[in-house]
């Protein structure tokens, strides 16, 4: 039996399947979700009544949280808890480099280890344990966590020792993924307006220079069959590209394409709250 006692805080679209994969690997677990824990908890996991109930029983705690406000509140509650000297907090959420640095500072004052480990691969990657984990932090902690990363993902990378570097790399990925979703939607809507068949367009793109994760996975699986159920809420990609814009401004980096992407996603999300990210295709197609 592995020695780590693994806590999970946040059992939503990503946290629930990740925690289930950890549980199936044989780890003792303690879990909590503010929206209701018992019905989301992996089989056999102990159910805590609070954030403190998780961290006080765990040696490693994973965070999978949907908003910056939730991240800030959970970090504060961890810092206020009675924790063991070996506790490590591993943040799989996308919160941005600035928030990661603040979390590291807050927890280091408590003697708690902190690591960025944002993940890429979406809900299907979480379910199938094929996520990419982007770590930054103490190299010794990366070594310690590698067995856990191996049960939730297919690839893990250590991108540096500075707090926030993992988040920065995740935002690089997210800008490309999110902006490509929108440019692909515009392009295919143009094609359909001229009578081109979407299935044929995707077949051509996927053996040509226009191919991407969006054309190879997102459109064939969720847009072409018109299910629009990728498991990625539009509110999350709005938050993610908003983080890129905000931190680009702070760093003095160009962000004109990210800004245009954010403007379009904000308009879509405001008009279609609680929609899946893939619903943006008919929004773009029909807004002529």
């Amino acid at each position: 039996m592995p020695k780590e006692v693994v806590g999970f805080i946040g059992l939503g679209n990503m946290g629930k399947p990740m925690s289930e994969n950890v549980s199936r690997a044989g780890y003792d677990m303690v879990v909590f979700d503010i929206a209701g824990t018992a019905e989301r908890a992996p089989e056999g996991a102990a159910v805590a009544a609070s954030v403190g109930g998780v961290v006080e029983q765990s040696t490693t705690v994973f965070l999978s949280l949907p908003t910056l406000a939730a991240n800030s509140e959970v970090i504060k509650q961890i810092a206020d808890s009675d924790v063991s000297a070996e506790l490590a907090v591993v943040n799989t959420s996308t919160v941005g480099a600035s928030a990661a640095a603040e979390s590291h500072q807050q927890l280091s004052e408590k003697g708690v280890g902190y690591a960025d480990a944002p993940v890429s691969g979406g809900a299907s990657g979480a379910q199938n344990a094929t996520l990419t984990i982007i770590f930054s932090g103490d190299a010794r902690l990366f070594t310690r966590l590698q067995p856990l990363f191996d049960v939730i993902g297919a690839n893990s990378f250590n991108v540096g020792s500075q707090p926030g570097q993992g988040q920065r790399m995740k935002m690089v990925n997210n800008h490309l993924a999110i902006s490509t979703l929108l440019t692909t939607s515009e392009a295919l809507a143009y094609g359909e307006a001229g009578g081109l068949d979407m299935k044929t367009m995707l077949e051509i793109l996927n053996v040509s220079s226009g191919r991407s994760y969006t054309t190879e996975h997102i459109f064939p699986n969720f847009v072409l069959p018109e299910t629009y159920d990728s498991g990625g809420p539009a509110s999350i990609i709005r938050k993610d590209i908003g983080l890129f814009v905000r931190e680009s401004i702070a760093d003095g980096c160009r962000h004109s394409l990210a800004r245009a992407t954010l403007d379009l996603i904000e308009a879509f999300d405001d008009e279609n709250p609680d929609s899946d990210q893939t619903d943006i295709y008919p929004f773009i197609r029909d807004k002529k």
Side-chain angles (χ1 to χ4, degrees):
M1 179 65 66
K3 294 180 181 179
E4 294 272 13
V5 178
V6 180
F8 242 93
I9 299 172
L11 302 172
N13 287 343
M14 299 294 290
K16 185 176 188 296
M18 283 193 287
S19 67
E20 289 171 342
N21 287 329
V22 172
S23 179
R24 279 192 286 267
Y27 287 88
D28 291 334
M29 296 193 71
V30 187
V31 299
F32 173 72
D33 190 295
I34 196 170
T37 307
E39 63 274 21
R40 300 182 178 194
E43 185 176 354
V47 174
S50 65
V51 168
V54 173
V55 299
E56 290 169 9
Q57 300 179 66
S58 306
T59 57
T60 295
V61 173
F62 283 80
L63 308 182
S64 181
L65 304 168
T67 67
L68 298 177
N71 177 79
S72 178
E73 179 59 28
V74 167
I75 292 295
K76 180 181 182 300
Q77 290 183 35
I78 294 172
D80 290 341
S81 300
D82 184 14
V83 300
S84 65
E86 68 267 24
L87 179 67
V89 173
V90 185
N91 200 346
T92 70
S93 320
T94 302
V95 297
S98 299
E102 292 169 6
S103 296
H104 175 268
Q105 178 63 31
Q106 195 170 354
L107 293 179
S108 66
E109 292 173 359
K110 183 79 174 182
V112 174
Y114 176 86
D116 288 336
V119 296
S120 179
S124 61
Q127 291 160 6
N128 298 321
T130 56
L131 294 169
T132 295
I133 300 105
I134 308 169
F135 174 96
S136 66
D138 190 295
R140 292 167 297 180
L141 186 54
F142 181 73
T143 300
R144 169 181 159 183
L145 294 170
Q146 189 67 67
L148 282 163
F149 291 159
D150 288 344
V151 302
I152 66 171
N155 301 284
S156 55
F157 298 90
N158 183 352
V159 298
S161 60
Q162 295 179 22
Q165 286 182 310
Q167 293 291 335
R168 186 176 290 269
M169 182 64 230
K170 178 65 190 301
M171 288 193 294
V172 169
N173 178 80
N174 282 0
H175 180 9
L176 290 169
I178 297 166
S179 59
T180 300
L181 172 62
L182 269 60
T183 55
T184 301
S185 294
E186 278 195 347
L188 292 182
Y190 166 80
E192 283 201 305
L196 296 179
D197 173 68
M198 182 183 288
K199 183 174 184 293
T200 302
M201 285 192 286
L202 290 170
E203 289 174 351
I204 293 169
L205 290 170
N206 287 333
V207 293
S208 303
S209 58
R211 68 186 181 276
S212 65
Y213 179 80
T214 298
T215 63
E216 292 178 334
H217 176 70
I218 296 294
F219 266 74
N221 290 313
F222 309 115
V223 177
L224 182 62
E226 299 184 330
T227 56
Y228 306 110
D229 57 353
S230 72
S235 59
I236 295 295
I237 63 170
R238 177 178 185 166
K239 180 260 294 183
D240 290 352
I241 198 67
L243 275 171
F244 185 96
V245 170
R246 188 179 74 188
E247 299 212 350
S248 292
I249 291 171
D251 286 350
C253 297
R254 285 188 177 274
H255 55 280
S256 55
L257 294 177
R259 178 72 255 183
T261 298
L262 177 59
D263 289 344
L264 184 51
I265 291 172
E266 286 178 334
F268 167 68
D269 190 40
D270 287 344
E271 189 171 316
N272 302 274
D274 302 320
S275 292
D276 189 88
Q277 61 182 344
T278 55
D279 277 308
I280 205 161
Y281 178 70
F283 177 81
I284 288 173
R285 179 194 61 203
D286 299 337
K287 292 283 183 180
K288 298 177 181 176

